[in-house]
Amino acid sequence: PINSLVRGMSRVPDAPHNSREVFAGRSDTMLLLRLDPRDNTVKMLSIPRDTKVDVPSVGVDKINDANVEGGPALAARVVSRTLNDVQIDRYVRITTEAFRELVDIVGGIDVYVPKPMQYDDNTQNLHIDLAQGWQTLNGNQAEQFARFRKDQFGDVGRVQRQQTLIKALRQRISNPTVLPRLAQAVRVMQQYIDTNLSLEEMLALVGFGLKLEPDNFKMDLLP
């Protein structure tokens, strides 16, 4: 079994494209994944980005700020300490471009948008405009769905929508017509990802995920 801390990174204004600086911002999405080949299960814990924790040398702060203060090492240390010293074996940092491109490579994902979503955040270059109902979202629209949080549920509702997208993406990837594109997807994703997983490990995890039964994929939300 391995535990991997997966984080989607907020945009860093003025960071050069394809530079290391794009990973220096706050964690916009934070997931702790436990993959266990002994019983073929994946357990995913979503950690709301506004969770208040003790950050070493900083004090009490939002958990998404740990990356700014000390990169992936500090982020993993903070999550581990917060969750009773759980072991974290690998980390993955993903830019918003990676998620958008992955969705486009697989031909979009089918998602039910529960209500009209409109919101503009010029500092993050974020413009959300989604209609209500079932639709096939492209990469840009999927990012809008993931990042919207202007409702009464705030960050918790946002995490739930991210989990909805992950389920939809997994379902799409398991479609036989999409399988031939997965090798291309892994190669493309490498330019948008910072990780200590090797290419062989990434391909093995893709294979593991494709064999996963839906009932063996569990999602939880940190209170």
Side-chain angles (χ1 to χ4, degrees), residues 45-152:
L45 179 67
S46 295
I47 303 171
R49 67 176 199 168
D50 291 341
T51 303
K52 290 293 187 69
V53 296
D54 181 33
V55 179
S57 302
V58 176
V60 176
D61 199 354
K62 292 180 181 180
I63 199 166
N64 72 334
D65 203 43
N67 186 76
V68 176
E69 300 295 338
L74 183 60
R77 181 183 173 195
V78 168
V79 171
S80 176
R81 284 178 45 168
T82 302
L83 300 176
N84 300 325
D85 297 320
V86 63
Q87 179 174 321
I88 296 178
D89 306 294
R90 298 288 188 272
Y91 75 86
V92 182
R93 294 191 294 181
I94 306 172
T95 66
T96 54
E97 287 83 359
F99 178 70
R100 289 202 309 268
E101 188 141 352
L102 178 58
V103 171
D104 286 335
I105 286 173
V106 301
I109 53 178
D110 297 325
V111 171
Y112 180 77
V113 180
K115 61 183 178 181
M117 295 180 177
Q118 282 88 29
Y119 172 64
D120 289 317
D121 183 347
N122 292 324
T123 62
Q124 283 287 307
N125 194 26
L126 179 63
H127 306 287
I128 297 174
D129 185 12
L130 297 176
Q132 182 178 1
W134 277 104
Q135 48 195 298
T136 301
L137 303 181
N138 62 27
N140 181 270
Q141 293 167 325
E143 182 187 358
Q144 293 177 38
F145 185 82
R147 300 181 69 184
F148 181 80
R149 62 172 183 166
K150 289 296 179 179
D151 59 18
Q152 68 270 34

Side-chain angles (χ1 to χ4, degrees), residues 172-184 206 210:
R172 180 64 177 159
I173 287 174
S174 62
N175 187 308
T177 63
V178 176
L179 294 180
R181 307 178 206 169
L182 293 185
Q184 174 200 357
V206 169
L210 292 175

Side-chain angles (χ1 to χ4, degrees), residues 2-6 33 35 89-94 186 190 193-206:
I2 66 167
N3 296 329
S4 181
L5 184 61
V6 180
L33 291 177
L35 301 99
D89 306 294
R90 298 288 188 272
Y91 75 86
V92 182
R93 294 191 294 181
I94 306 172
V186 170
Q190 283 185 290
I193 288 176
D194 172 49
T195 182
N196 56 358
L197 284 165
S198 67
L199 177 59
E200 291 76 14
E201 287 174 323
M202 284 191 277
L203 292 172
L205 291 176
V206 169

